[in-house]
Amino acid sequence: MSAIVFLVQCPDRKGLVAGITGFFAEREFNILHCQQYTDVENGQYFMRIRLEDEGQMPTGQLETEFDGFARKMNLTWSVRYSAKPYRVALMVTRASHCGYDLLLRELEGELKCDIPLIIGNHDDLEYMAKQFDKPFYHLPITKDTKPQQEEAIKRLLEEYGIDLVVMARYMQILSEDFVREFAGRVINIHHGFLPAFQGARPYHQAYERGVKLIGATAHYATAELDEGPIIEQDVERVMHDNSPEDLVMIGKDIERLVLARAVKAHIEHRIIISGRRTIVFSEGA
């Protein structure tokens, strides 16, 4: 079934549910599911509403009419059509586990998206791209070449019509200009349970502190390292006799799951960014 998904946020007030659902009912849309959340502390309202797409009206007309309604109601909104698959670019360095996991989920239909290219700042994972019949672009980055290489990346993203960039253990810090241009469209996986153990070698940091839980965090990339809005996290219990290498191996499994969940939530249009936080609506709706 094709669906249309709207995400809405605005200052909280009475009558929002009736007004928004009434807009779609008047146009004979069948509402398949509606989720809402009110941030009482900050007086903000959030909604995800999924409609059955029966071709009632052209998409351009629907968006124009809803935009006029939204202006009157002071709504911020976005829309996604399930009939148009997300196009996702993978950016990698040398670690393959997250990239393999996402490519397998795409192949098996668990992730409803297209991954048309892989970009690497090293060529170590070109073999992985060949295994999945994907083009691989090797764009090595140094301090001197970073601006030019980021421009090359942007050209590739435009050429392939990319909706979402996934840093699948891409061990480079994107420039402020890049993340500003692609704000809310770049997901990074950090191999640590943020905000603890930011930066490099977080599992070794965790070992040195003798923690009993290690984790991974998927977040939107921002100009500040490891400070972007968090989408998904998970943890695993570890023991005092686990070595740093053990923590790395345990962590890889957490990273795979956390990144996949975050990407799935994004392509299903279940995430609203609100300042430094995210509102992530439940799966399966």
Side-chain angles (χ1 to χ4, degrees), residues 2-23:
S2 294
I4 305 170
V5 181
F6 278 83
L7 292 175
V8 174
Q9 59 179 309
C10 63
D12 186 35
R13 62 182 181 277
K14 294 179 180 179
L16 286 169
V17 177
I20 297 168
T21 57
F23 171 89

Side-chain angles (χ1 to χ4, degrees), residues 260-273:
R261 290 174 192 159
V263 172
K264 193 169 191 288
H266 184 98
I267 65 178
E268 291 178 354
H269 212 47
R270 292 193 279 114
I271 307 172
I272 297 177
I273 299 175

